[in-house]
Amino acid sequence: MTEQELQALVAAAVNDADLAGKEIPAIDLYLDQILSLVAEKNKSASPRYRERMLTKTMVNNYSKDGLISPITGKKYSYDHIVEILLVYGMKNSLSIGEIKRVLFGVREDCGFDGEALARSYDRFLALKDKNRQRVGTLVESVLAEDALDPQSDEDLFLALLDMLSLSAYLKAVAQEILEARYTDPDQAEKENREREKAEKKAKNEAEKQQKRQVAEREKAEKKAGKVEKKAEKVEKKTEKKEKKTEKAEATE
């Protein structure tokens, strides 16, 4: 592969198209309108990106999996559209579970609201523009530093493996950051369920203990009442006996 051919491949590889924040209408949109906006933008991208269309099923799954905020009715707000585009931008590198963790984390751990997410999205697109330029320079640097000639089939194969390993390491770094900073929503939900279960169990035990104490107190009070009645009965019997004796003595 010649140097010019490799440069053309690199250019095609980074030629995706993103819907910028300023291109998103400020009014609520139906899902079909959102899909049309993204599809229209993708027309300027390379074939590999045009084939990765955003679909109704995908967005419905994003909603079902809790990746985007719940919607009211059938329309999506500006904030919803930004969330959809963020998921769409991460889905080729992260799993659905990892994306959910990122978005849950920035909302719950970092307190991001819709405005903060929208601002982050615009800054992300600016960084992507820089990365498009960086990729070409990085490829040239890797080939030069590792002494790989793309015109050699063996070196081209090694260049492929080299870039795949670099990509894998960068992804691993991103995943390490994700796991270190953001709460796992599934784990958090599991812990909440376990805590609620433990609290319920403790409450039930406390109620049982209270009932046992009440029953024991009532039993003790009942027993004390019987003892008291018995004592009163003995006392009355004694008094009666004493009166009978006194009467007998008075008769004599």
Side-chain angles (χ1 to χ4, degrees), residues 100 104 184-194 196:
K100 183 177 181 180
F104 178 88
D184 182 347
D186 294 331
Q187 181 62 29
E189 185 178 348
K190 180 181 178 182
E191 290 174 356
N192 284 335
R193 287 198 303 268
E194 291 176 349
E196 289 173 358

Side-chain angles (χ1 to χ4, degrees), residues 12 21 49 68 102 111 116 120 160 173 184 194 203 206 216 228 233:
Y49 295 107
I68 61 176
V102 171
S120 296
L160 170 65
V173 170
D184 182 347
E194 291 176 349
K203 182 180 179 181
E216 289 173 358
E228 186 177 349
K233 189 175 180 181

Side-chain angles (χ1 to χ4, degrees), residues 24-238:
I24 303 173
I27 59 173
D28 293 354
L29 299 177
Y30 289 106
L31 182 51
D32 286 340
Q33 293 174 306
I34 299 171
L35 300 180
S36 295
L37 279 174
V38 175
E40 184 63 29
K41 188 70 179 182
N42 271 341
K43 287 182 179 179
S44 61
S46 298
R48 70 166 54 247
Y49 295 107
R50 292 199 298 271
E51 292 169 1
R52 299 174 186 173
M53 295 296 295
L54 181 67
T55 67
K56 186 175 294 187
T57 299
M58 288 164 61
V59 176
N60 287 336
N61 286 337
Y62 296 168
S63 181
K64 181 180 177 182
D65 292 330
L67 302 180
I68 61 176
S69 303
I71 67 168
T72 302
K74 296 184 178 180
K75 287 188 175 182
Y76 294 76
S77 67
Y78 181 93
D79 292 346
H80 286 125
I81 297 172
V82 169
E83 289 176 343
I84 290 169
L85 294 175
L86 282 170
V87 176
Y88 186 54
M90 289 188 281
K91 74 181 186 67
N92 291 319
S93 300
L94 299 178
S95 69
I96 291 298
E98 289 171 329
I99 295 172
K100 183 177 181 180
R101 182 167 182 171
V102 171
L103 294 180
F104 178 88
V106 295
R107 293 191 197 103
E108 301 300 323
D109 298 339
C110 306
F112 279 33
D113 56 12
E115 183 179 345
L117 279 176
R119 184 171 60 251
S120 296
Y121 177 70
D122 284 335
R123 294 182 67 187
F124 164 59
L125 295 190
L127 294 174
K128 279 191 71 177
D129 278 338
K130 289 184 179 180
N131 286 337
R132 291 185 182 98
Q133 303 301 319
R134 288 170 176 160
V135 168
T137 303
L138 179 60
V139 170
E140 291 178 1
S141 175
V142 167
L143 293 177
E145 290 181 14
D146 296 342
L148 298 173
D149 180 2
Q151 297 190 62
S152 162
D153 285 339
E154 184 174 343
D155 280 8
L156 185 62
F157 174 53
L158 288 173
L160 170 65
L161 297 176
D162 202 0
M163 283 180 258
L164 285 175
S165 69
L166 179 60
S167 173
Y169 285 138
L170 288 173
K171 179 178 178 179
V173 170
Q175 289 171 320
E176 288 288 345
I177 294 172
L178 184 162
E179 293 171 6
R181 181 62 184 90
Y182 303 126
T183 299
D184 182 347
D186 294 331
Q187 181 62 29
E189 185 178 348
K190 180 181 178 182
E191 290 174 356
N192 284 335
R193 287 198 303 268
E194 291 176 349
R195 183 170 58 254
E196 289 173 358
K197 185 178 179 181
E199 290 173 352
K200 186 176 180 181
K201 183 178 180 181
K203 182 180 179 181
N204 290 338
E205 287 297 328
E207 289 175 351
K208 288 180 181 179
Q209 179 65 20
Q210 187 178 18
K211 287 179 180 179
R212 283 195 295 268
Q213 291 174 348
V214 170
E216 289 173 358
R217 184 168 61 249
E218 290 176 348
K219 184 178 179 181
E221 290 173 351
K222 188 175 180 180
K223 184 177 180 180
K226 288 181 178 180
V227 171
E228 186 177 349
K229 285 181 180 180
K230 187 175 181 181
E232 290 176 355
K233 189 175 180 181
V234 170
E235 185 178 354
K236 287 180 180 180
K237 188 176 181 180
T238 302

